[in-house]
Amino acid sequence: MDKNSIINISIDECSYGEKKILGKINLNIEKGQCLVLSGLSGCGKTSLLRTINGLIPNFYEGDLRGSIYLYGRDISDFLNGEIAKYMGNVFQNPKDQFFSTIAEDEIALVGENLGMDYSNLVKRVDQAIKFLSLEDIRNKSVFDLSGGQRQKVAIASTLVYDTDIIIFDEPSASLDYSSIKDLENTLLKLKKMGKTIIIAEHRLYYLKDIFDRLLIMKDGQIVNSYKNLDVDENILRENKLRCLDETRLKLNKLESTYTPDNKKPHFIVKDLKVEIGKNILINNLNFHLSKGECMAILGRNGIGKTTLAKQLSGLLTIKSGLTSHGKSKRERLKNSYYVMQDASSQLFAHTLEHELIPKDKIGNQDYLSRVKDLLISLDLWEKRNLRPHELSVGEKQRLSLTLGLLSDRKILILDEPTAGLDFLRMNMVAKEINKKKGQIPIILITHDMEVLFRVADTVLLVDGLENKKIPIRGNEESIIDFIRKTN
């Protein structure tokens, strides 16, 4: 055991039933270090985090053989909840870890649970709120906050007891560009405070000036370890990782056969008003889509992109304006397919096969062949007999996308289909989107610039004042500038 480390990990094996989720791992983490765990989905990143913070085997079932020491003390010797004094957690979806409805109450909760003196608790909550600039939202419901704001609330809760170690699991997965920049700045501030930071992440570009070590996992083991200055493009390619240099994003455009056909648009939106209640988000929206076109929608968080998608897909009423694929909600539901950001909300069957194959398609060999091809292409074939809710977040996303790709609707609307996906699976998804757009127009809502430049042919820029649709090719720099300015 390394005496200079605050966390010493010596795992022989960790399994869930007959399934091995972690192999042999020896890792020492020093105080003040920032470690990034990366690798393909399912490589064991989240499982390793759950062993470090004691969630395996105390909360998630698992047989752990080996030992993990925190400040020289075996974590198995800690009382229930005691680890929270030393270690904070920020989950991929912070809402999953919230127990209070008001932001300030959620921030204070860990201190209350650990019996902190009331006057000291009030002081620490105020300091955490000020540190993360949360004064404007302290009395708001956590359900009314953006993804980035919820994440800041989760981070603030770790500061109340002043924990030395903070663990992040895919923190950028559902964040827009602005929120990712906020996250980057917050991590830099935490590092300057001397916090020890452990992050499981696919998206790396925002971490390039923060991490000390990049650990690559495969099949439940750490297979490579790199110091920050040693990471280059060759290492990224060898390990199938996402880019480290944000300026290279626009160079990854896949070849497109799209040519605009303004004379025969397949999908028209005219004078559409996007609104929630009496609050108008987007006014007088006009655009059309051609066959073979994928149009991305870009705009700041809260501008109304998802509300627009729900109106176009028939989930919300259109009070003003029209679309060519249906005057009523029922018509739009019939003619469009909407893949939601929360994939779980669209999955209901007891196996993937039952989810993908309705009764009227059981004897349709062409359809069954399409299902098989997509399951193989999106790396879900081996999971076909599992229950959808046994899948990882990324696997659920790909399953939900598969349902959309199998549909015969007139338009496909995708809301963040690659959030949290690794480089390999992101490329898989991009290739299938490019195939599908040859059949029907596709609308893509995304904060993932890597997939944006791989699949989108046009971009609808929405800023609340002027909505402008432009082609991708030749406008890459202005698109990136728009993302930076509006977010």
Side-chain angles (χ1 to χ4, degrees):
M1 186 166 62
D2 189 339
K3 294 182 180 180
N4 295 321
S5 302
I6 58 173
I7 301 176
N8 300 94
I9 302 167
S10 180
I11 295 174
D12 295 319
E13 184 176 292
C14 184
S15 58
Y16 175 67
E18 296 182 357
K19 182 182 178 182
K20 186 171 78 170
I21 55 178
L22 291 175
K24 193 171 185 62
I25 294 177
N26 290 290
L27 177 64
N28 299 314
I29 303 173
E30 296 180 8
K31 180 175 173 59
Q33 277 193 330
C34 176
L35 266 64
V36 174
L37 304 174
S38 198
L40 300 182
S41 295
C43 66
K45 301 186 299 296
T46 296
S47 295
L48 179 55
L49 293 186
R50 288 174 177 173
T51 61
I52 294 173
N53 60 21
L55 289 178
I56 294 177
N58 294 326
F59 184 80
Y60 296 99
E61 290 184 20
D63 180 22
L64 175 62
R65 292 196 295 110
S67 60
I68 299 173
Y69 283 85
L70 175 61
Y71 294 107
R73 181 182 171 193
D74 195 314
I75 62 168
S76 63
D77 294 334
F78 284 80
L79 300 175
N80 286 338
E82 188 182 0
I83 293 177
K85 293 181 179 180
Y86 311 97
M87 192 179 297
N89 297 279
V90 181
F91 297 164
Q92 181 173 336
N93 183 359
K95 190 169 64 173
D96 293 342
Q97 69 190 87
F98 290 164
F99 291 91
S100 303
T101 56
I102 303 301
E104 183 179 40
D105 294 341
E106 181 61 37
I107 294 169
L109 187 61
V110 66
E112 292 175 339
N113 288 341
L114 293 172
M116 186 179 289
D117 174 74
Y118 180 75
S119 60
N120 190 35
L121 175 60
V122 171
K123 178 182 176 183
R124 296 294 305 177
V125 169
D126 286 341
Q127 288 175 341
I129 287 174
K130 184 177 180 181
F131 179 78
L132 290 169
S133 303
L134 297 175
E135 291 89 346
D136 293 341
I137 67 167
R138 68 186 301 162
N139 296 315
K140 286 188 176 182
S141 167
V142 294
F143 301 106
D144 293 333
L145 304 181
S146 69
Q149 289 171 330
R150 288 174 183 163
Q151 193 175 71
K152 283 186 175 182
V153 169
I155 295 171
S157 70
T158 72
L159 300 178
V160 169
Y161 211 87
D162 200 20
T163 56
D164 281 336
I165 304 157
I166 307 178
I167 291 177
F168 295 83
D169 192 2
E170 298 283 355
S172 75
S174 300
L175 300 186
D176 59 19
Y177 184 87
S178 173
S179 297
I180 291 174
K181 294 302 291 184
D182 283 346
L183 173 61
E184 178 183 350
N185 292 331
T186 299
L187 290 171
L188 284 169
K189 290 170 72 174
L190 292 172
K191 190 174 182 182
K192 288 179 180 177
M193 290 175 66
K195 301 294 183 182
T196 303
I197 303 169
I198 307 169
I199 308 173
E201 183 62 283
H202 292 302
R203 191 176 279 152
L204 300 177
Y205 72 86
Y206 75 96
L207 296 169
K208 63 183 177 182
D209 296 324
I210 302 172
F211 75 88
D212 297 293
R213 279 198 287 166
L214 174 64
L215 307 180
I216 310 300
M217 295 193 67
K218 181 180 180 182
D219 298 330
Q221 294 180 280
I222 297 172
V223 294
N224 284 308
S225 175
Y226 304 100
K227 294 180 180 179
N228 186 302
L229 296 177
D230 294 333
V231 179
D232 58 20
E233 289 298 320
N234 290 328
I235 286 174
L236 297 176
R237 282 194 296 270
E238 288 170 7
N239 292 283
K240 296 182 175 63
L241 302 180
R242 290 200 174 210
C243 75
L244 198 63
D245 184 355
E246 189 180 4
T247 63
R248 295 181 62 86
L249 291 174
K250 62 181 180 295
L251 303 178
N252 293 322
K253 175 75 174 140
L254 296 179
E255 286 301 316
S256 173
T257 58
Y258 166 75
T259 54
D261 184 1
N262 297 327
K263 295 180 180 179
K264 296 181 180 180
H266 281 241
F267 180 79
I268 299 171
V269 171
K270 186 175 181 181
D271 299 329
L272 183 66
K273 187 179 292 183
V274 180
E275 52 192 327
I276 299 178
K278 295 182 180 180
N279 184 22
I280 298 174
L281 303 174
I282 306 172
N283 203 9
N284 296 323
L285 182 61
N286 294 275
F287 66 85
H288 65 263
L289 299 177
S290 303
K291 184 179 179 180
E293 179 180 0
C294 175
M295 182 189 76
I297 301 178
L298 300 181
R300 70 176 183 273
N301 202 35
I303 194 67
K305 301 185 294 295
T306 294
T307 304
L308 168 61
K310 290 180 178 179
Q311 287 185 334
L312 295 179
S313 62
L315 295 178
L316 291 176
T317 300
I318 292 177
K319 297 179 182 178
S320 178
L322 59 88
T323 71
S324 61
H325 69 304
K327 294 181 180 179
S328 68
K329 288 201 297 183
R330 178 174 291 185
E331 281 185 279
R332 294 194 298 279
L333 279 168
K334 181 181 178 181
N335 291 323
S336 63
Y337 195 98
Y338 175 36
V339 177
M340 299 179 184
Q341 188 170 345
D342 180 8
S344 296
S345 62
Q346 291 182 282
L347 304 175
F348 308 102
H350 60 280
T351 69
L352 273 69
E353 287 188 341
H354 286 86
E355 193 75 61
L356 296 170
I357 306 172
K359 290 182 179 179
D360 63 336
K361 297 288 188 181
I362 291 176
N364 187 326
Q365 292 304 314
D366 288 340
Y367 182 84
L368 295 178
S369 179
R370 287 170 60 200
V371 171
K372 181 177 180 179
D373 289 344
L374 281 170
L375 286 175
I376 292 172
S377 297
L378 293 172
D379 197 23
L380 292 171
W381 178 250
E382 300 299 327
K383 312 281 185 177
R384 64 189 183 277
N385 293 318
L386 295 179
R387 291 186 299 115
H389 293 285
E390 290 183 74
L391 302 178
S392 69
V393 173
E395 288 166 344
K396 288 177 185 176
Q397 282 177 303
R398 302 201 302 278
L399 175 58
S400 184
L401 174 66
T402 302
L403 287 164
L405 296 172
L406 287 167
S407 72
D408 294 321
R409 311 287 174 86
K410 294 181 179 180
I411 185 167
L412 178 61
I413 303 170
L414 308 176
D415 196 348
E416 295 288 353
T418 60
L421 293 189
D422 60 53
F423 179 82
L424 184 64
R425 274 66 175 217
M426 183 267 290
N427 259 334
M428 291 176 178
V429 167
K431 288 177 181 177
E432 292 304 324
I433 293 174
N434 276 323
K435 289 179 187 177
K436 186 66 175 180
K437 73 183 183 184
Q439 304 167 23
I440 59 172
I442 294 177
I443 292 176
L444 172 69
I445 299 172
T446 187
H447 298 302
D448 187 341
M449 288 191 285
E450 288 184 84
V451 79
L452 167 70
F453 288 114
R454 277 174 162 75
V455 304
D457 305 289
T458 56
V459 175
L460 179 66
L461 306 177
V462 181
D463 67 2
L465 300 174
E466 181 182 5
N467 311 308
K468 182 170 63 174
K469 180 183 170 184
I470 61 174
I472 285 274
R473 195 174 297 278
N475 290 303
E476 292 90 346
E477 293 290 350
S478 60
I479 290 168
I480 291 177
D481 286 343
F482 175 86
I483 293 170
R484 288 170 174 165
K485 290 175 183 177
T486 57
N487 286 282

